[in-house]
Amino acid sequence: MKKVEKHLFPKNVKEAVELLAEYKGEARIVSGATDLMLWIRDGKVSPSVLVDVSDLPEMRFVSVSDGKMSIGSAMTHAEIAAHPDVKRIFPALSDGCRSVGSPQIRNIATLAGNIVSAQPAADSVVPMTALGAQCELAGPDGTYMRPLCELSKKVGESYVDPTKEIITRIEIKIPSGKYGTAFKRIAPREAMALPVVNAAVMLEAEDDGTIKAARIVASPVAVVPFRAKNAEAHLIGKKASPKLFAEAAEAAGAEASPRDSLVRGSGEYRKVLVKDLVEQALIQAASLFA
Amino acid sequence: MQELKCVVNGKNVAIMIDPSHSLADVIRYDLGLTGTKKGCEEGECGACTVLVNGLPVDSCIVPAMKANGKNILTIEGLEQNGELDPIQEAFMEAGAIQCGFCTPGVVLSAKALLMREENPTKEDIRDELSGHFCRCTGYLQFYDAVKLASEKIKSRKNKEKK
């Protein structure tokens, strides 16, 4: 079996992209490595070179300016969970990041890794999808932006090719008016357990409380993070109220079709959980602008 | 083979290692520090926890070369001048050790917590130790041990001041 022969530390993103090109598919980007080490052991992937971007200063920051938050994609889940700006501006994201794995995983696993690993219920990707995050990618043809929601392909596979390109930055627009975000999750235990269902929402409202934009995401309900579009549509143009949120949650439960899973529970049970978690999340998000 | 340079338990280390190996394997087999245990080898049980630049990580799923240029603390690095760390004493006194297999990892997570927070709450302790499996103690003794360790560390500091 092929194994890792070199673990390289490029000085910047440019050098990292050049190394990937130089090794023509034999090299692979590594950041936290918490998933990658397991895949290598299981023989799912067999890179001979690892290009480590976890310490690149260009990918290690959180900044807030011009109405948007920019996050270096090598930030760890622990760092994002504890970051005061993230907590204040996008609590759904800090709460999601706090739910990943255990402290030992969160201390090293990165946001970009969570995106590229493409587990549909990834606890940081679900809130980032609800927040409408955009990702900056650097590859052989330069850098470009892609919406996060277009990067998930199927379970365990994203459209980002880690042998060619790197997610360098995540950008999230901060609404100028009233808004709120929330993340909810249910799992067999609080640590080291994959979610049975998780849900994240973002609501934007007029000054009088009329909902003008909504994103509702629930997982794992499909092979990629699932947008409850009927539920979202139901909210638009109406005044926030417990009744409205109950109706939207009902719609989200109805349009979600989680499958029966020996690990996560029956589809029927999880449909009810989607409804309940979406309702809780909507109420919590709305409480932030009420 | 690739050269790994890092600081392990306060000593500079420069050795040639196989870059496909995990940090846990290099610690155990290349450095001979077998206090770090391998349990599940998939980042679930926490037995292999070591501190990298003061932060607990599961060394079984960390590529060894990621330690390059970093400061590593393993259970062997806790004793000072032949004396146990107050956390180790507290674990013994609180009965927080039975078979001992999870202990080095749990003690290191407790160390990271107490370095950052002198007076951890029960919630802080729960969170910090949530990535550890212990099949003997029932976990409750861990709370007592960390609380006791926190008292010991404070009283030691006070003594030093006087």
Side-chain angles (χ1 to χ4, degrees):
Chain A
M1 203 180 80
K2 257 198 331 181
K3 57 176 203 167
V4 173
E5 282 157 17
K6 278 185 220 169
H7 188 125
L8 304 177
F9 297 91
K11 285 193 294 294
N12 50 44
V13 170
K14 186 171 164 281
E15 199 181 307
V17 174
E18 285 165 4
L19 283 170
L20 292 178
E22 188 184 323
Y23 286 99
K24 297 185 176 60
E26 288 293 308
R28 193 179 163 107
I29 290 293
V30 60
S31 196
T34 52
D35 279 327
L36 186 61
M37 280 292 270
L38 302 180
W39 296 342
I40 291 175
R41 263 180 224 157
D42 292 347
K44 282 186 198 159
V45 294
S46 48
S48 52
V49 178
L50 297 181
V51 178
D52 196 321
V53 292
S54 55
D55 281 336
L56 294 187
E58 293 167 81
M59 289 170 58
R60 304 257 322 125
F61 68 94
V62 173
S63 71
V64 177
S65 67
D66 301 331
K68 63 193 181 203
M69 177 179 284
S70 207
I71 302 174
S73 62
M75 293 298 281
T76 65
H77 289 85
E79 288 165 340
I80 296 301
H83 199 284
D85 288 341
V86 181
K87 272 190 191 168
R88 180 171 54 85
I89 298 170
F90 295 127
L93 180 55
S94 55
D95 287 352
C97 287
R98 193 170 304 111
S99 308
V100 170
S102 63
Q104 297 100 305
I105 302 281
R106 294 195 288 275
N107 279 334
I108 188 161
T110 62
L111 292 191
N114 216 219
I115 296 169
V116 177
S117 292
Q119 291 304 314
D123 287 302
S124 71
V125 179
V126 167
M128 283 194 282
T129 306
L131 299 176
Q134 301 273 326
C135 296
E136 184 188 74
L137 286 103
D141 307 318
T143 59
Y144 60 101
M145 298 295 290
R146 279 283 294 277
L148 170 66
C149 60
E150 290 176 16
L151 295 181
S152 300
K153 193 177 197 174
K154 55 184 188 187
V155 177
E157 196 178 332
S158 78
Y159 285 105
V160 182
D161 181 349
T163 67
K164 290 198 177 88
E165 53 191 354
I166 311 169
I167 299 179
T168 48
R169 190 163 64 85
I170 295 147
E171 198 175 282
I172 308 171
K173 203 171 140 269
I174 305 169
S176 50
K178 286 185 164 187
Y179 75 100
T181 74
F183 174 79
K184 294 283 166 188
R185 170 188 216 263
I186 192 155
R189 62 186 277 259
E190 278 177 34
M192 282 318 297
L194 296 173
V196 172
V197 169
N198 60 13
V201 306
M202 175 160 185
L203 292 175
E204 288 181 57
E206 309 282 4
D207 285 341
D208 68 354
T210 306
I211 307 290
K212 61 176 181 186
R215 271 195 224 91
I216 301 176
V217 182
S219 274
V221 175
V223 292
V224 299
F226 170 76
R227 281 277 294 275
K229 298 220 166 152
N230 295 345
E232 293 174 2
H234 186 77
L235 294 169
I236 307 298
K238 299 189 186 107
K239 277 232 172 126
S241 74
K243 184 171 167 286
L244 180 68
F245 294 148
E247 289 162 5
E250 194 74 48
E255 65 188 302
S257 53
R259 61 189 178 89
D260 293 326
S261 156
L262 287 175
V263 185
R264 299 184 198 266
S266 72
E268 209 175 336
Y269 166 61
R270 295 198 299 134
K271 234 170 135 66
V272 177
L273 287 180
V274 168
K275 176 177 91 62
D276 287 350
L277 294 191
V278 166
E279 184 171 355
Q280 289 173 19
L282 288 171
I283 291 169
Q284 186 173 323
S287 73
L288 299 175
F289 60 75
Chain B
M1 298 298 269
Q2 202 173 344
E3 187 177 37
L4 168 68
K5 282 187 181 173
C6 57
V7 176
V8 178
N9 300 333
K11 293 190 195 89
N12 286 313
V13 167
I15 46 166
M16 295 305 287
I17 63 148
D18 180 333
S20 72
H21 286 178
S22 68
L23 182 56
D25 281 344
V26 166
I27 288 171
R28 287 178 58 84
Y29 306 126
D30 296 73
L31 299 175
L33 299 171
T34 52
T36 300
K37 304 303 180 199
K38 295 205 297 177
C40 67
E41 290 191 66
E42 34 185 62
E44 296 273 345
C45 78
C48 65
T49 300
V50 301
L51 305 192
V52 175
N53 287 356
L55 296 175
V57 300
D58 291 320
S59 64
C60 72
I61 51 170
V62 174
M65 282 308 295
K66 282 187 93 63
N68 202 42
K70 304 274 165 72
N71 205 322
I72 312 299
L73 184 66
T74 74
I75 193 70
E76 289 88 348
L78 283 189
E79 55 109 28
Q80 299 275 323
N81 311 318
E83 257 187 69
L84 290 179
D85 187 281
I87 302 174
Q88 292 170 302
E89 286 176 12
F91 268 68
M92 285 161 52
E93 288 163 25
I97 303 174
Q98 286 184 34
C99 87
F101 197 84
C102 72
T103 313
V106 180
V107 168
L108 285 165
S109 279
K111 177 81 181 171
L113 172 64
L114 291 169
M115 287 194 299
R116 163 177 104 231
E117 177 57 61
E118 206 171 61
N119 293 303
T121 63
K122 195 168 177 182
E123 277 307 299
D124 294 335
I125 301 171
R126 242 175 81 118
D127 279 353
E128 193 65 50
L129 302 188
S130 63
H132 290 278
F133 280 176
C134 171
R135 304 285 83 153
C136 314
T137 64
Y139 301 100
L140 295 177
Q141 293 86 341
F142 289 161
Y143 294 129
D144 302 340
V146 177
K147 286 271 182 209
L148 183 59
S150 142
E151 295 306 320
K152 280 175 182 277
I153 292 167
K154 278 184 284 184
S155 77
R156 248 186 226 196
K157 266 192 192 161
N158 286 339
K159 263 185 215 157
E160 277 165 22
K161 272 184 206 156
K162 284 168 200 167

